Structures are given as structure tokens and as C-alpha cells.
Amino acid sequence: MEIVVSGIRPTGDLHLGNYFGALKNFLKMQYENNCYFFIADYHSLTTHPTPADLHGNVKRVLVNYLAAGLDPEAACIYVQSDIPQVTELYLLLNMNAYKGELERVASFKEKIRTQPDNVNAGLLTYPTLMAADVIIHKAHKVPVGKDQEQHLEMARTFANRFNRLYKVDYFIEPVAYNFGEELIKIPGLDGSTKMSKSDNENSCIYLGDSAEAIRKKVMKAVSDQGPTEPNQPKAQAVENLFNLMKAVSAEDTLNHFNDLYNTCQIRYGDMKKQLAEDLVIFTAPFRERILELSDDNAYLHKVATQGAEKARESASKTIKEVREIIGFRAF
Ligand code: TYM
């Protein structure tokens, strides 16, 4: 049985990128593997949420996980900050993580560019905390979207470095994984290649969105003037609409609009209307369950408590062994 670990930062409802990138295929594997799925609330502190926002967003993600179909009886669902052992491993890994390699990570360089006034140590050491999340359970596989590939490479680097430094064969190499499929990147509605809340809230479709919100956002999605010659290559924004359609619509629908595009007869208004309706149908069951679960605080408490217990058990075992390997010994 393989160990599978993944997490999502709490920023509110999950969007389609989170769902298709990290969750959808995880749902399939939860019954066949030893799965851990957590809410990365320590990671979210780099953006300085208020206490109320932090708590509200953690709850939102927990509700979304359950609404999406994570089964707490199969997978261990927990909140990262309920497992203090993660921070100990983070500290230990940081002693062997070098400034140069951390500064070269693409996501860090991007943050320097987009938020130069808040380049904090948490951002620099984001990959060490992420490595700790994964190797604390000795994970084999980590279901994530394409944007997390480099972070997983760092996790392998830190795991191997620990083994070499202490001359042990203790940590295994975790790999980014999407259940036999390519790692994916769901595009945004704003023409960008990645649906991302931090880049543009309106580029995201959330699992909890109302039908009206979906229609409004999709109708405003970026497209172009339309093709002027048959089989013209698609502009990025148009390619994005087709990719979103590929994710949620029937194959016939996708082929229909592709044919219209290739014969210069496409009307983006019609395509967007269809995409919006398909998105409404796709998200409706999630939204319904999100509404049901949001008021069930007793159930959420039970799930989080039970998850924390199981995750702590696994994490404590690792920390105990790691401390022994490093040489922390009792007198
Ligand atoms: P986060 O919160 O940015 O995103 C959570 C997951 O959703 C995936 N994702 C996407 N996949 C495809 N297309 C998109 N547009 C898209 N947007 C987001 C991400 O790839 C990710 O899998 N560092 C992580 C959270 C984390 C973690 C971990 C993940 C912390 N520790 C340990 C795995 C293992 C993050 O910020 O993801």
C-alpha cells in the first residue's frame, strides 16, 4: 500500500484548478492507498490573513474537501497546524536548505516580482515546509497540479540530503503524481494560463459558485475577434475556453465548437453560454453539499479531530526516529 499526501492552502472555496489539479484523481485513490489530505494553513500565513479569515478559510476548505467526495473514513483529512511535528521537521530541514537554492525556486522569484513589499522568510522557505508536509508521512506520491512540480523536486532534494548527511536510507523520494495522467494546469477566464485566486479572483470558477456568478464570470471571459482563416491557431485566451470546455463538457459539445472555430463560424457568445451551462451543471452537486455541510459544525469538528489524531500518530513516529538519527538523545 502506498502513502499518498497532498494539501491545499486555505483561501476560501476550492476552484476548478484545485479540483482538477489536486483532488479529482485523489478521490479515486483514497480507497486503495494510505491517504493524507490536509489544509495548509501554516503556508497561508505568508499573506498575513486576519484570525477570522484564517479560521473561516480553513473551514471552507474542509467543507469543500468533504463536498468534493473525500471520505474521512478512507483518507485522513487534517489541518496542518494541528500537527506541530511538521514545524519541527521544517526547522530541521531548514538547517540543510541553502539560501541560493531557495532563491532559485520559480514561485519565490515570482513573489519577489509581484509582491516586493512582502518577501518574507516564510516565502523563501516555503519549499522546506512543503517537503516536511510530505516526508513527515514518508509519502510515495503527491497529487498536485503542474505548478507544484518544482516544489516536489525540492522535497526529493531535502529527503536525499538528509539521508546522505546522516548516512541512512530513511526518507523515500516523493513524486508529483496525477494517477497515471499528466500533471495539469487549468487555465483562468482572464486569458492567463493558470486559474489562480491570488492572480485574479474573477478568473476562477469555485465549486461553491452560484449559477448566476458562473454565468456572469464566463460571459466576461477574455476571447478574441474570432478566426479569419480556416484552422487558424488559437490565441491563448481562446485555447483556455476550449480547455475549460474539455474539462467539464461532453466531447460532442467540444467537437462542435472546435468545428465552428476551424470553419470561422464560431460565435464566442454561444460558446460561452454553453460553457457556463456546463459549468453550472458540473458544480451544482458540489455547491449543494457545500451548503449542507457548512452548518454542520459538529461533523466538521469530528472529522478534523479524528484526522489530526491519525496524522499526529504518523508524524510523531517520524519525528521520534528523525531525532534519534540526528543524535538528540535523552540523558
Ligand atoms: P495551492 O493551494 O496553490 O493549490 C492547491 C493545489 O491545487 C493545484 N492547482 C492547480 N492545478 C491545476 N491548475 C490550476 N490552475 C491550479 N491551481 C492550483 C496546485 O497544483 C496544488 O496541487 N504548496 C501547495 C500546498 C501544499 C502542498 C503541500 C501540496 C503545501 N504543502 C504538500 C502538496 C503537498 C499550494 O500552494 O497549493
Side-chain angles (χ1 to χ4, degrees):
M1 202 183 240
E2 290 197 304
I3 300 172
V4 182
V5 175
S6 199
I8 295 184
R9 274 173 308 135
T11 53
D13 278 344
L14 301 187
H15 57 62
L16 290 185
N18 300 139
Y19 178 76
F20 284 106
L23 201 49
K24 177 173 168 260
N25 292 333
F26 192 96
L27 299 172
K28 294 190 212 162
M29 57 165 83
Q30 61 181 331
Y31 295 100
E32 287 123 56
N33 296 282
N34 192 359
C35 292
Y36 295 86
F37 215 113
F38 67 95
I39 301 160
D41 56 346
Y42 284 139
H43 280 273
S44 72
L45 297 185
T46 58
T47 57
H48 310 154
T50 64
D53 281 350
L54 179 66
H55 180 71
N57 284 335
V58 169
K59 177 178 171 184
R60 212 68 206 147
V61 175
L62 179 58
V63 165
N64 274 239
Y65 277 174
L66 296 166
L70 269 184
D71 177 353
E73 299 309 319
C76 170
I77 307 173
Y78 64 96
V79 181
Q80 184 187 35
S81 62
D82 279 340
I83 318 299
Q85 290 81 358
V86 169
T87 55
E88 184 167 349
L89 187 56
Y90 167 58
L91 178 140
L92 299 172
L93 294 179
N94 268 335
M95 301 302 167
N96 303 308
Y98 296 99
K99 179 174 162 278
E101 65 186 340
L102 293 169
E103 280 173 345
R104 281 194 295 277
V105 173
S107 57
F108 181 67
K109 289 203 269 188
E110 178 68 9
K111 293 290 178 196
I112 294 181
R113 200 178 60 77
T114 54
Q115 51 177 69
D117 296 335
N118 182 25
V119 181
N120 56 58
L123 282 177
L124 181 69
T125 57
Y126 193 102
T128 14
L129 180 54
M130 188 161 157
D133 290 328
V134 171
I135 69 177
I136 195 110
H137 301 301
K138 306 243 202 91
H140 301 96
K141 291 186 169 149
V142 187
V144 281
K146 183 113 186 100
D147 61 319
Q148 300 296 318
E149 218 169 12
Q150 193 183 20
H151 291 157
L152 262 295
E153 200 178 309
M154 299 289 287
R156 287 192 287 278
T157 301
F158 297 138
N160 283 328
R161 191 172 292 160
F162 179 92
N163 288 347
R164 264 204 319 278
L165 185 66
Y166 295 106
K167 302 189 175 47
V168 288
D169 196 8
Y170 185 70
F171 285 121
I172 30 185
E173 287 195 357
V175 291
Y177 184 67
N178 193 22
F179 208 67
E181 291 167 23
E182 295 266 294
L183 297 189
I184 58 162
K185 188 151 86 166
I186 296 288
L189 292 169
D190 59 349
S192 66
T193 55
K194 185 183 154 196
M195 184 173 281
S196 160
K197 181 171 183 175
S198 49
D199 294 345
N200 180 356
E201 180 128 9
N202 284 326
S203 84
C204 298
I205 299 288
Y206 297 98
L207 299 185
D209 270 347
S210 65
E212 304 87 88
I214 292 177
R215 290 188 188 113
K216 211 162 145 190
K217 284 191 267 190
V218 174
M219 292 319 284
K220 278 199 202 144
V222 179
S223 58
D224 66 5
Q225 304 293 320
T228 51
E229 50 188 87
N231 301 316
Q232 187 175 311
K234 296 185 181 93
Q236 184 63 57
V238 176
E239 185 76 41
N240 290 353
L241 292 178
F242 277 93
N243 280 335
L244 284 170
M245 198 167 233
K246 191 168 168 195
V248 297
S249 304
E251 208 179 325
D252 283 356
T253 310
L254 181 69
N255 292 341
H256 169 70
F257 285 101
N258 232 331
D259 289 345
L260 290 177
Y261 181 89
N262 285 330
T263 50
C264 302
Q265 299 174 77
I266 191 149
R267 288 181 3 195
Y268 292 126
D270 294 345
M271 180 180 180
K272 286 180 183 176
K273 260 190 209 137
Q274 180 69 48
L275 176 60
E277 289 323 302
D278 290 341
L279 282 166
V280 169
I281 292 169
F282 180 80
T283 53
F286 297 120
R287 179 173 153 77
E288 205 173 295
R289 285 200 295 268
I290 288 171
L291 290 173
E292 272 166 32
L293 285 160
S294 293
D295 291 329
D296 201 344
N297 284 326
Y299 180 59
L300 299 177
H301 172 78
K302 185 174 157 242
V303 169
T305 311
Q306 166 185 315
E309 257 167 44
K310 183 171 176 212
R312 264 199 301 265
E313 204 179 297
S314 151
S316 315
K317 181 169 180 292
T318 305
I319 281 297
K320 184 168 177 283
E321 290 166 356
V322 163
R323 289 179 65 97
E324 269 163 30
I325 291 170
I326 292 180
F328 293 117
R329 288 178 192 147
F331 285 97

